[in-house]
Amino acid sequence: MSTANTAVATAQLSASHSAGPQMSHRPQTVRSIPSDFFWSYTEEPHRTRRQAIIKAHPEVVPHCLQSGLVIDEILQVTKLCGHEPSTKYLPYHLTHHKSLGVDGLDTDLPTSLEAFFLDSVLGKAFFCTFQIIFYALRPMMVYKLPFTSLHLFNVATQLAFNLLLVHYLGAGALAYLLTSSFLAGSLHPCAGHFIAEHYIFEKQPLSARTPSDLVAVPETYSYYGPLNALTYNVGLHNEHHDFPAIPWTRLSKLHEIAKEFYVDLPHHKSWISVIWQFIWDQEVGLWCRVKRRNSSKTEKLADRSLGSSRASVP
């Protein structure tokens, strides 16, 4: 067996990246309406797959440019989060990478309160409509960051810009930008990426929600479709989590180099279909996320990521 094939097999066993309904060793059972998250006691899959890819394709290493990561984050903020300040977004995003699925640290995860009260067609429609507000408010409830001079400077800069905008162009200009930001994170095709990235759409056996089931549930999904051209390849999400230091301009190259690692992973082809299924399918909802218990180790890891992010933001 070749080195690449051995690496692929190792990644399949360690990361269980294709543990969808096609896997014969997972018993197929009828799904029921979920009432709890998928709790995992295994390591998140991206570190294992990253090591396997580097072993099989060492040529990917030169694509990992730290300067590219900072540029990537700024562009993601600009395009995907409207006028949200990078000083606030970047630390949370780095923690999301280093503590993927960790309850109390990863603020991309919905809370039990959200999942319980929005567990209906109307509730999920409400969530999809106002999800940008959930993403803005949830971090302050789950994992508060210390308010620093950078945040104060950022707020002052935004207020000054908004005042100048209203003064020279009128209140309508500010209202236009606010409305555009809201609609971009609402029932908009591109906003489907928020849900597509980590919510579980693949059928899983009932045992997957029990601690005794050590077979990992796929928890990151890529989107391969034309809208990636408008969103800085944010749909290449498995690739992004596997190599966060690779800038968005090179994620497609990574996919081509290590295609054998990604071709069998469950993925999406339409963000519109993602929103539609999320709202109407009673077996898909806010409960369909993988969570991990917090620990002192992951907390220290998150603290280090916050420290590095503060050093990265000018």
Side-chain angles (χ1 to χ4, degrees), residues 52 54 80 245:
I54 291 175
L80 303 177

Side-chain angles (χ1 to χ4, degrees), residues 56-190:
H57 300 285
E59 64 269 26
V60 305
V61 175
H63 295 284
C64 302
L65 302 177
Q66 292 300 326
S67 58
L69 176 61
V70 177
I71 296 172
D72 183 35
E73 295 297 341
I74 295 172
L75 290 172
Q76 292 287 5
V77 169
T78 303
K79 178 66 178 179
L80 303 177
C81 301
H83 57 275
E84 183 179 359
S86 60
T87 51
K88 178 182 177 183
Y89 172 77
L90 181 56
Y92 281 120
H93 190 65
L94 291 178
T95 303
H96 166 65
H97 275 272
K98 295 188 177 184
S99 304
L100 180 65
V102 177
D103 194 31
L105 291 178
D106 185 358
T107 58
D108 186 70
L109 292 166
T111 62
S112 297
L113 199 65
E114 293 172 74
F116 178 80
F117 283 104
L118 301 177
D119 191 20
S120 65
V121 171
L122 289 177
K124 291 185 290 184
F126 179 85
F127 175 79
C128 290
T129 304
F130 298 97
Q131 60 178 316
I132 194 170
I133 298 178
F134 282 89
Y135 276 95
L137 297 180
R138 186 190 298 140
M140 294 185 289
M141 310 296 179
V142 174
Y143 187 37
K144 295 181 180 179
L145 293 177
F147 192 83
T148 67
S149 57
L150 284 176
H151 294 93
L152 181 61
F153 175 76
N154 204 356
V155 171
T157 301
Q158 290 187 70
L159 289 176
F161 176 83
N162 290 336
L163 288 173
L164 290 172
L165 183 69
V166 172
H167 177 75
Y168 288 104
L169 299 178
L174 180 60
Y176 172 79
L177 292 179
L178 292 174
T179 303
S180 298
S181 297
F182 170 75
L183 293 177
S186 183
L187 293 174
H188 187 286
C190 290

